[in-house]
């Protein structure tokens, strides 16, 4: 995924999902790559995970899974169900927040788990999709942990900002303190986990008015830790965060 080849294939697959308004053809193309390229086959899981995440952001949960669930369920099993995991984890990761990909608005984590179980996991036939229920529940485990981790991270940032502000009474400059806070947050990102380039900057909404620019200044650090020297990708991530200003950047 972090090689030039991996990024090229991922961009191609995401483009196919956008053009077709469906992940079906993209997953079939991924299977072709996996069958003809040992490097892709050995690292397909993170690649297809990310494809699932992007599809979820494009279409929401139900639109991302209904065609495969109802018409070609075997595609849900592509590369150890990586696409299904990516869709589920991203849907659950921000459940209960404004960042959850739901056209109807956010719902609680528990209600979102019920939705995933009833509309996807429970409707997979294990005789057709080997270990389908297990894979679906595995994806839920990803999403539950990510949801709780996201909430605790945001809580820690909010508490830290408050401490920076409160320390003004002992001579600490809050803006300088928050500068270090944001650098630490983005520079200490766990590289073992994949970055969701669609939403990783949303944490900047927690910043105090005087430190919003600082937050966005440090945000590309996290991207570049995951994708070293991909400066063009970092710029694109910033443009995606501020689409209305692309022509003025």
């Amino acid at each position: 995924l972090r090689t030039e080849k991996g990024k090229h294939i991922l961009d191609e697959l995401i483009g196919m999902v956008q053009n077709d308004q469906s992940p079906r053809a993209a997953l079939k193309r991924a299977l072709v790559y996996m069958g003809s390229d040992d490097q892709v086959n050995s690292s397909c899981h993170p690649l297809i995970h990310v494809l699932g995440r992007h599809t979820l952001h494009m279409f929401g949960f139900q639109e991302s899974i209904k065609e495969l669930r109802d018409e070609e369920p075997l595609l849900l099993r592509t590369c150890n169900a990586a696409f299904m995991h990516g869709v589920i984890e991203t849907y659950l990761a921000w459940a209960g927040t404004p960042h959850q990909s739901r056209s109807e608005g956010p719902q609680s984590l528990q209600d979102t788990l019920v939705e995933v179980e009833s509309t996807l996991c429970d409707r997979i036939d294990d005789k057709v999709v080997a270990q389908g229920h297990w894979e679906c529940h595995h994806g839920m485990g990803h999403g539950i942990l990510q949801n709780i981790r996201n909430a605790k991270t945001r809580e820690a940032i909010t508490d830290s900002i408050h401490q920076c502000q409160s320390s003004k009474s002992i001579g600490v400059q809050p803006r300088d303190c928050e500068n270090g806070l944001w650098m630490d947050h983005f520079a200490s990102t766990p590289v073992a986990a994949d970055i969701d380039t669609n939403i990783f900057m949303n944490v900047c909404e927690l910043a105090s008015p005087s430190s919003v620019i600082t937050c966005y200044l440090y945000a590309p650090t996290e991207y570049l830790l995951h994708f070293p020297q991909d400066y063009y990708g970092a710029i694109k991530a910033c443009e995606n965060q501020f689409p209305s200003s692309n022509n003025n950047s």
Side-chain angles (χ1 to χ4, degrees):
L1 179 59
R2 297 187 176 100
T3 65
E4 286 299 319
K5 180 195 292 186
K7 286 184 287 186
H8 174 77
I9 292 174
L10 179 60
D11 286 345
E12 177 188 356
L13 297 178
I14 291 172
M16 292 179 69
V17 174
Q18 290 174 324
N19 292 335
D20 298 339
Q21 295 292 289
S22 163
R24 188 189 308 207
L27 288 171
K28 290 181 177 179
R29 177 68 61 85
L31 287 170
V32 172
Y33 278 121
M34 290 162 57
S36 60
D37 190 314
D38 289 340
Q39 186 180 15
V40 174
N41 191 47
S42 66
S43 58
C44 62
H45 200 74
L47 182 74
I48 308 303
H49 246 270
V50 175
L51 181 66
R53 291 176 185 169
H54 279 274
T55 302
L56 187 282
H57 286 300
M58 282 188 261
F59 306 127
F61 181 68
Q62 294 298 332
E63 290 298 315
S64 295
I65 57 96
K66 71 175 184 179
E67 182 182 35
L68 302 182
R69 179 197 64 201
D70 297 341
E71 299 177 22
E72 289 203 59
L74 280 176
L75 287 176
L76 291 172
R77 196 69 176 80
T78 302
C79 193
N80 293 324
F83 178 83
M84 181 162 61
H85 296 166
V87 170
I88 293 172
E89 71 183 5
T90 307
Y91 191 44
L92 294 177
W94 295 100
T97 78
H99 303 301
Q100 186 181 21
S101 297
R102 291 187 81 248
S103 58
E104 304 87 348
Q107 61 184 3
S108 70
L109 175 59
Q110 181 62 31
D111 287 343
T112 307
L113 289 167
V114 170
E115 179 188 358
V116 173
E117 175 65 22
S118 62
T119 63
L120 179 57
C121 303
D122 195 47
R123 294 175 63 176
I124 296 175
D125 186 347
D126 280 347
K127 294 180 181 178
V128 177
V129 182
Q131 294 185 296
H133 282 84
W134 186 94
E135 293 289 5
C136 195
H137 295 154
H138 176 92
M140 291 169 78
H142 278 286
I144 290 170
L145 180 60
Q146 290 177 31
N147 184 284
I148 294 171
R149 182 191 295 133
N150 288 336
K152 295 299 184 182
T153 297
R154 292 169 75 86
E155 180 182 338
I157 289 172
T158 299
D159 289 348
S160 298
I161 291 172
H162 177 73
Q163 188 63 55
C164 282
Q165 296 286 338
S166 299
S167 297
K168 186 176 182 179
S169 63
I170 60 171
V172 175
Q173 294 297 318
R175 186 173 180 178
D176 298 343
C177 180
E178 290 178 50
N179 187 291
L181 181 162
W182 289 117
M183 179 181 179
D184 188 87
H185 170 70
F186 289 112
S188 61
T189 176
V191 180
D194 292 318
I195 184 175
D196 190 331
T197 57
N198 292 281
I199 56 178
F200 77 102
M201 293 188 195
N202 286 345
V203 70
C204 290
E205 68 191 15
L206 301 176
S208 63
S210 64
S211 296
V212 172
I213 293 177
T214 300
C215 182
Y216 287 117
L217 176 68
Y218 282 118
T221 304
E222 180 172 355
Y223 181 94
L224 292 169
L225 284 172
H226 288 266
F227 303 102
Q229 299 185 340
D230 182 15
Y231 302 110
Y232 177 77
I235 291 171
K236 292 298 293 182
C238 292
E239 290 178 347
N240 290 339
Q241 186 73 22
F242 305 102
S244 61
S245 62
N246 286 354
N247 295 330
N248 300 319
S249 44

